[in-house]
Amino acid sequence: MPELPEVETIRLQLAPALEGRRIDGVEVRDARWSEPAPPEAIDDALRGRLIEQVARRGKYLIVSLGDDVHLVMHLRMTGNLLLIEGAEHPPLHTRVAVQLDDGRRLLFVDVRRFGTGDVLLGSDALAEYFESRLGVEPLSADFTSEALRAMARGRKQPVKAFLLNQERIAGVGNIYADEALFRARIHPLRSVGTLKRDQIEALRAGVVESLELGIDSKGASIDDYRHLDGARGSFQDRFLVHTRAGEPCPRCGTPIEKLRAAGRGTYVCPNCQRRPRVRRR
DNA sequence: CGCCCTGTTGGGGA
DNA sequence: ATCCCCAACAGGGC
């Protein structure tokens, strides 16, 4: 059993990664392990350990290994995690390959290199990592109207920025936020602190419903099938307003409009989701 | 062919 | 708190 490195948190920079190495003939460019941990420390932390549990928190994946070692990964926008057979050729843009003892490999593939990975030593380090980053799980019993109202109270922030902030509600992305707001009939630029009690409840329900659209009948996220041809199209078809500028609102027929909120492309029905009095840009 | 814009995210700086 | 930019690419419009 290898000795644990002294550092408590190892930054495993998946993007870029593994300078100067080739993975089955696939060249990996501009790669390096970032400070403070040298590659040997990463190897030592992972080598010989059993995968005991795979979990999710917000948009993070957690692979828990023996001796309280945790590999925490984020796919960001284009990342993908693949399990391949030993003889299989890793796809282009493979950044990190973890060799498993049965001959298979776990690949982190990411065209844009936004994805991240951290090796955390100990459950305290793991808890701390998420405490500073993530708020309530919206699909848990803790996500009540009361909790949402308490978080929103007094804030002038546009409601869309509030939803995208992972430190309060974990896991709501751009597409999901638009869907939740459309369902709740709330304009994304509305100040979150001004929402009435019934709007807060509608927003809570909208968030839950939008997230459920991303889960298929087997309980797996539809994002699990991203790499399969055609999955992407059917995924987007589930959402009513996102990327549908010009198309008629499914509720009232008014053309969907595109605007910018919280720095992201944002889609609304201008009739169902009334603009706040004070315009902002 | 080149330039410009956009983007399933999050972090840092002004 | 809030806006803006950036990371590193692909893909589409012009």
Side-chain angles (χ1 to χ4, degrees), chain A residues 34-162:
Chain A
S34 66
E35 299 297 328
E40 311 81 61
I42 307 286
D43 287 344
D44 286 348
L46 300 184
R47 185 181 304 114
R49 300 187 190 283
L50 294 174
I51 294 176
E52 294 184 341
Q53 191 181 28
V54 178
R56 175 197 64 79
R57 176 85 168 87
K59 301 177 191 173
Y60 293 84
L61 297 166
I62 310 163
V63 177
S64 292
L65 310 171
D67 299 317
D68 216 8
V69 171
H70 308 272
L71 175 58
V72 176
M73 292 173 281
H74 195 302
L75 301 178
R76 296 288 184 100
M77 292 171 74
T78 52
N80 209 347
L81 210 51
L82 297 180
L83 186 63
I84 67 168
E85 299 298 326
E88 254 179 281
H89 196 84
L92 195 63
H93 308 307
T94 294
R95 308 303 178 188
V96 167
V98 176
Q99 185 67 53
L100 305 181
D101 64 0
D102 65 0
R104 293 183 296 177
R105 278 170 298 175
L106 184 63
L107 305 182
F108 194 104
V109 185
D110 186 3
V111 191
R112 282 177 81 179
R113 309 184 188 216
F114 285 5
T116 61
D118 293 279
V119 174
L120 305 179
L121 305 181
S123 47
D124 288 350
L126 185 67
E128 190 180 309
Y129 186 89
F130 291 126
E131 268 165 31
S132 63
R133 289 174 169 80
L134 299 181
V136 62
E137 282 291 330
L139 296 182
S140 78
D142 293 337
F143 188 52
T144 61
S145 273
E146 291 71 29
L148 183 56
R149 196 176 336 129
M151 288 188 282
R153 188 174 300 140
R155 296 190 184 283
K156 296 177 179 174
Q157 197 177 30
V159 59
K160 171 131 180 186
F162 174 86

Side-chain angles (χ1 to χ4, degrees), chain A residues 216-235:
Chain A
D216 70 14
S217 57
K218 298 184 186 101
S221 166
I222 195 71
D223 287 346
D224 292 347
Y225 309 119
R226 274 201 292 208
H227 60 289
L228 301 177
D229 291 341
R232 182 96 183 95
S234 60
F235 167 67

Side-chain angles (χ1 to χ4, degrees), chain A residues 28-42:
Chain A
V28 181
R29 296 163 295 168
D30 299 326
R32 62 185 164 76
W33 295 98
S34 66
E35 299 297 328
E40 311 81 61
I42 307 286

